């Protein structure tokens, strides 16, 4: 049911041919089409691109992270400042990725850009930590929020059992995996619908908040910067929570080869999405504080639900449903995009060959999707939401900072590279410095989580030499790899 991908994209009867050794095609490749090839087609339009970005960014972060930001900043005014600063910083990062996506027209996102700038070793380490830690942890975090909010209407008067949350979460994760394994078109259509639901959920909070402001409900904004002083140790964690809520602006770059007219649509989709999300996030937080005090927000386990209960009465039951749909859309968009990173890494020879195979009839990278399922389940049943949030932020922002630093490096290494979209140099310089500075501070402020993340990240170095460079492996090693590929192939065939 699956076949090795000999090509990467199809557009107007032509495609980019993969080389015999599995390397990515050159950016200028214009090889003729061959009949019978299994491909990932160009099905991502501007609207679908916007839905991937907005639909992935707006997940649980805006409904969970206000608590983490307020706790680490100490005041309403400082928390709103951090939300605004994170939005501007995310916009800077998104603009950098817009440049990279228009000059390096390959899928794979972070992995591909690090490979282009710094070579195979750091690129392998990036995909290694993404596969083992970042993606399973990120999916587990957003999925736990999905499980909690979908059950909220049934447990309004009592605590939701943790086991029930995790069981419903496991069902949601499995459903997303099946959807992305079945059809690219249906996955994209559902993502557009879920993005609409996300924006409705945001408006359900913003509109009553604006009405409260008109009525003069501003008591929680008096002495907005009064309270506990933000510490040097707390601010990086506050930024982690905020940047997590905005994270997702880079996912369109994971599917560049499937985007129609990427030179135009990638920058447009990124800019439109970031403006909508930043304005929406800041207004949502302002709306929260028109009704909920800082102390009450810290005690609330579901901020959006608490807000809705006070202003909307019985209609508040609809809010957790909208939030759950929002989380489901973030899960769907993340898995849709990151599976392409594993697909490309396999095509490069950095992951097992089975992961670069495409289902013959469904034209989906099925093995690259389902490989995440067992790892995500492990994270789901063995992790705490907030520790996972801080833990995955370390590795994620370390490599994002490295990618944007690579943009600066490529400006000097390859000055003649066509750049249809180009940002001022101070933007990538500021963004990469800020990312690396937050990572350095996190090692000081939260040494346990970030220390473990740093050690696990470094395991990618010996893994690279063991699995990629070392040719004289014992005979049993290839057998283990083949057994793993057989298991995935059997699962794919049943799909």
């Amino acid at each position: 049911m699956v076949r090795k991908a000999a090509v990467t994209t199809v557009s107007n009867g032509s495609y980019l041919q993969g080389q015999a050794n599995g390397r990515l095609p050159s950016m200028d490749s214009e090889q003729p089409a061959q009949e019978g090839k299994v491909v990932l087609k160009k099905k991502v339009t501007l609207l679908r691109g916007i839905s991937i970005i907005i639909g992935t960014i707006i997940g649980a972060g805006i409904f969970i992270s206000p608590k983490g930001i307020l706790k680490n900043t100490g005041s309403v005014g400082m928390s709103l400042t951090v939300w605004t600063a994170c939005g501007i910083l995310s916009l800077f990062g998104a603009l950098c990725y817009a440049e990279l996506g228009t000059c390096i027209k390959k899928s794979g996102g972070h992995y591909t850009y690090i490979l282009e700038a710094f070579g195979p070793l750091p690129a392998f380490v990036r995909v290694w930590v993404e596969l083992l830690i970042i993606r399973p942890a990120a999916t587990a975090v957003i999925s736990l929020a999905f499980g909690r909010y979908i059950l909220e209407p049934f447990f309004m008067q009592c605590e939701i059992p943790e086991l029930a949350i995790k069981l419903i979460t496991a069902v949601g994760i499995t459903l997303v995996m099946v959807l992305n394994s079945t059809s690219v078109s249906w996955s994209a259509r559902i993502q557009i619908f879920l993005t609409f639901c996300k924006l409705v959920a945001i408006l359900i909070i913003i509109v009553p908040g604006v009405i409260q402001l008109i009525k003069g409900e501003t008591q929680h904004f008096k002495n907005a910067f009064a309270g506990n002083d933000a510490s040097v140790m707390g601010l990086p964690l506050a930024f982690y929570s905020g940047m997590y809520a905005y994270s997702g602006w880079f996912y369109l770059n994971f599917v560049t080869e499937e985007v129609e007219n990427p030179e135009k649509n990638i920058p447009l989709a990124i800019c439109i999405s970031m403006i909508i999300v930043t304005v929406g996030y800041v207004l949502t937080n302002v709306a929260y504080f028109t009704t909920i005090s800082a102390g009450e927000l810290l005690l609330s386990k579901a901020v959006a639900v608490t807000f809705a209960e006070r202003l909307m009465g019985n209609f508040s039951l609809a809010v957790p449903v909208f939030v759950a749909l929002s989380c489901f859309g973030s899960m769907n968009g993340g898995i849709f995009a990151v599976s392409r990173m594993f697909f490309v890494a396999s095509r490069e020879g950095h992951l097992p060959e089975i992961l670069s195979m495409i289902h013959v009839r469904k034209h989906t990278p099925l093995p690259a999707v389902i490989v995440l399922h067992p790892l995500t389940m492990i994270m789901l049943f063995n992790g705490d939401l907030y520790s996972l949030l801080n833990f995955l932020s370390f590795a994620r922002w370390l490599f994002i900072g490295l990618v944007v630093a690579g943009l600066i490096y490529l400006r000097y290494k390859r000055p003649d590279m066509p750049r249809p979209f180009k940002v001022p140099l101070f933007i990538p310089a500021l963004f990469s410095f800020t990312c690396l500075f937050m990572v350095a501070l996190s090692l000081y402020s939260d040494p346990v989580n970030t220390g473990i993340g740093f050690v696990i990240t470094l395991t990618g170095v010996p893994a690279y030499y063991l699995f990629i460079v070392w040719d004289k492996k014992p005979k049993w090693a290839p057998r283990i790899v083949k057994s793993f590929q057989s298991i995935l192939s059997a699962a794919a065939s049943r799909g």
Side-chain angles (χ1 to χ4, degrees), residues 193-239:
F193 168 75
L194 292 173
T195 299
F196 174 77
C197 292
K198 292 169 186 282
L199 296 177
V200 169
I202 292 291
L203 287 174
I204 287 175
I205 295 172
I206 291 176
V207 172
V210 171
I211 294 173
Q212 288 290 92
L213 286 175
I214 294 173
K215 292 179 178 179
E217 297 292 336
T218 59
Q219 63 271 22
H220 297 145
F221 296 100
K222 295 178 180 178
N223 300 318
F225 290 90
N228 299 325
D229 293 332
S231 65
V232 175
M233 295 179 65
L235 279 176
L237 296 181
F239 269 93

Side-chain angles (χ1 to χ4, degrees), residues 53 57 90 93-94 97 246-251 270 274 397 400 431:
I53 299 173
I57 293 177
S90 297
Y97 270 62
Y246 282 101
S247 65
W249 43 262
F250 40 75
Y251 280 124
I270 286 175
M274 289 309 301
W397 296 110
I400 289 177
F431 184 79

Side-chain angles (χ1 to χ4, degrees), residues 174-420:
T174 303
L175 184 60
V176 169
M177 299 285 183
V178 171
L179 174 63
N180 280 271
S181 300
T182 302
S183 172
V184 172
S185 295
W186 272 107
S187 179
R189 289 167 187 158
I190 290 176
Q191 188 68 13
I192 293 173
F193 168 75
L194 292 173
T195 299
F196 174 77
C197 292
K198 292 169 186 282
L199 296 177
V200 169
I202 292 291
L203 287 174
I204 287 175
I205 295 172
I206 291 176
V207 172
V210 171
I211 294 173
Q212 288 290 92
L213 286 175
I214 294 173
K215 292 179 178 179
E217 297 292 336
T218 59
Q219 63 271 22
H220 297 145
F221 296 100
K222 295 178 180 178
N223 300 318
F225 290 90
N228 299 325
D229 293 332
S231 65
V232 175
M233 295 179 65
L235 279 176
L237 296 181
F239 269 93
Y240 277 169
S241 294
M243 295 299 286
Y244 167 73
Y246 282 101
S247 65
W249 43 262
F250 40 75
Y251 280 124
L252 187 59
N253 295 69
F254 284 56
V255 297
T256 301
E257 296 171 14
E258 298 172 62
V259 177
E260 294 180 356
N261 192 8
E263 297 90 347
K264 175 184 176 182
N265 286 339
I266 288 179
L268 267 179
I270 286 175
C271 292
I272 293 172
S273 301
M274 289 309 301
I275 291 172
I276 292 174
V277 171
T278 302
V279 172
Y281 272 13
V282 173
L283 291 180
T284 298
N285 280 276
V286 170
Y288 283 150
F289 289 116
T290 62
T291 305
I292 304 173
S293 67
E296 290 169 335
L297 190 146
L298 290 175
L299 293 175
S300 175
K301 292 186 177 180
V303 180
V305 175
T306 302
F307 174 86
E309 285 175 347
R310 297 193 177 183
L311 294 183
M312 304 176 194
N314 292 332
F315 184 74
S316 64
L317 294 175
V319 173
V321 175
F322 277 108
V323 175
L325 290 174
S326 175
C327 295
F328 190 85
S330 190
M331 294 158 58
N332 180 61
I335 291 172
F336 176 84
V338 175
S339 62
R340 271 59 176 179
M341 176 192 284
F342 303 145
F343 174 83
V344 171
S346 173
R347 199 169 59 186
E348 277 286 335
H350 285 168
L351 290 177
E353 186 181 26
I354 183 72
L355 299 183
S356 64
M357 294 187 178
I358 300 172
H359 197 282
V360 174
R361 296 193 307 271
K362 299 171 183 175
H363 291 244
T364 60
L366 193 151
V369 173
I370 63 175
V371 72
L372 286 169
H373 192 271
L375 296 172
T376 304
M377 290 299 172
I378 292 172
M379 286 285 184
L380 172 63
F381 287 97
N382 295 278
D384 173 70
L385 193 149
Y386 276 100
S387 64
L388 284 175
L389 174 62
N390 293 329
F391 175 65
L392 69 92
S393 292
F394 160 77
R396 169 178 285 173
W397 296 110
L398 172 66
F399 284 103
I400 289 177
L402 185 62
V403 167
V404 178
L407 183 152
I408 300 173
Y409 177 66
L410 287 174
R411 289 274 186 97
Y412 295 96
K413 180 184 177 183
R414 301 171 66 177
D416 298 330
M417 176 187 291
R419 291 178 171 86

Side-chain angles (χ1 to χ4, degrees), residues 16-53:
L16 300 178
Q17 175 82 38
Q19 298 177 7
N21 62 359
R23 301 288 292 182
L24 287 168
S26 68
M27 290 178 290
D28 301 321
S29 175
E30 296 181 354
Q31 300 176 11
Q34 298 178 17
E35 294 183 2
K37 297 297 183 182
V38 181
V39 300
L40 295 177
K41 299 179 180 179
K42 282 184 176 288
K43 291 187 175 182
V44 180
T45 60
L46 176 61
L47 178 60
R48 288 180 176 179
I50 293 172
S51 73
I52 288 174
I53 299 173

